[in-house]
Amino acid sequence: MGSQWGYDKTYIRAKQEGYRSRAAYKLLEIQKKFAIIRPDDNIVDLGAAPGSWLQVERTLTDARVVGIDLNPIAGLEGVETIEGDLNDPEVLEQVKSLIDVASVVLCDAAPKLSGHKSYDQARIIELNEQALSFACKVLKLGGNFAVKSFQGTDFPELYAMTKKHFYSVKTCITRSTRKGSTELYIVAKNFNG
């Protein structure tokens, strides 16, 4: 029977335009609305496989782009990738050896969903907290952060935690998000250290 979502218009468009997944349009929309990436920004992308956000990032900056994922990421020209866990201190050291400081940290990662709403919500919030912690270790002052999350009972706490580290924090539901999904993005600008 295949995917529960099937091949909708956005999926087909992504394949026709050469993107590795529909997620590319989510980043393009976030960028259009919030301008979180500037042409000279070093970017670290957490949970970057299969690489559609890396494809977009490469077109938005002339600086370094580093993608991290537990799974291998097929090569992309002008993009450096690290296969590993964002919680591993060695991965953090690898990132710091590639770029002195990051201007932008992005995370479109999600755990494999079990179908149990409260369990999945807790797992995504834990992943979001790990991404925020990583961002706080590599971002320069004034840097930007965006992370995919899911609406639920634990979300307000994550949102409040993010507000402690950034001057501007907003949420965004992209048009490319599948109907019925509780997915949304936290877009945080101007890291305050």
Side-chain angles (χ1 to χ4, degrees):
M1 184 148 175
S3 167
Q4 68 181 26
W5 303 109
Y7 296 131
D8 62 15
K9 288 180 188 172
T10 307
Y11 172 88
I12 293 166
R13 177 179 165 213
K15 292 303 174 193
Q16 289 172 342
E17 294 182 5
Y19 289 119
R20 294 180 178 182
S21 80
R22 64 185 292 123
Y25 301 112
K26 297 174 186 180
L27 180 56
L28 287 166
E29 187 175 336
I30 291 167
Q31 174 65 11
K32 185 175 181 183
K33 190 170 184 178
F34 297 101
I36 58 171
I37 300 170
R38 296 167 295 253
D40 60 346
D41 282 345
N42 287 326
I43 301 170
V44 178
D45 188 332
L46 307 173
S52 62
W53 276 34
L54 295 171
Q55 289 176 293
V56 172
E57 293 155 17
R58 184 69 278 157
T59 67
L60 297 174
T61 184
D62 297 321
R64 310 278 302 257
V65 176
V66 179
I68 301 168
D69 203 285
L70 292 170
N71 300 305
I73 302 166
L76 278 166
E77 190 175 334
V79 174
E80 294 162 278
T81 60
I82 299 169
E83 188 177 339
D85 187 326
L86 66 93
N87 299 302
D88 184 341
E90 286 183 27
V91 169
L92 179 64
E93 288 310 310
Q94 278 183 275
V95 169
K96 288 182 174 182
S97 74
L98 292 170
I99 54 175
D100 189 25
V101 290
S103 309
V104 180
V105 173
L106 302 172
C107 182
D108 190 43
K112 290 200 186 318
L113 301 179
S114 69
H116 297 285
K117 198 171 182 178
S118 60
Y119 176 71
D120 290 338
Q121 168 74 12
R123 288 178 64 222
I124 189 81
I125 294 295
E126 180 183 17
L127 182 59
N128 295 159
E129 289 171 352
Q130 292 166 353
L132 176 62
S133 173
F134 188 96
C136 290
K137 291 172 187 160
V138 299
L139 272 177
K140 70 177 188 177
L141 289 177
N144 299 328
F145 173 64
V147 62
K148 174 168 63 183
S149 192
F150 294 138
Q151 299 172 49
T153 54
D154 298 329
F155 181 79
E157 190 177 325
L158 171 69
Y159 187 81
M161 191 183 308
T162 307
K163 285 185 86 161
K164 290 178 183 174
H165 299 285
F166 294 86
Y167 288 108
S168 169
V169 180
K170 298 193 175 354
T171 59
C172 172
I173 298 172
T174 65
R175 289 188 309 274
S176 299
T177 299
R178 294 180 177 108
K179 300 217 182 314
S181 172
T182 61
E183 176 186 289
L184 79 164
Y185 290 86
I186 293 177
V187 181
K189 296 183 75 173
N190 203 351
F191 179 58
N192 61 25

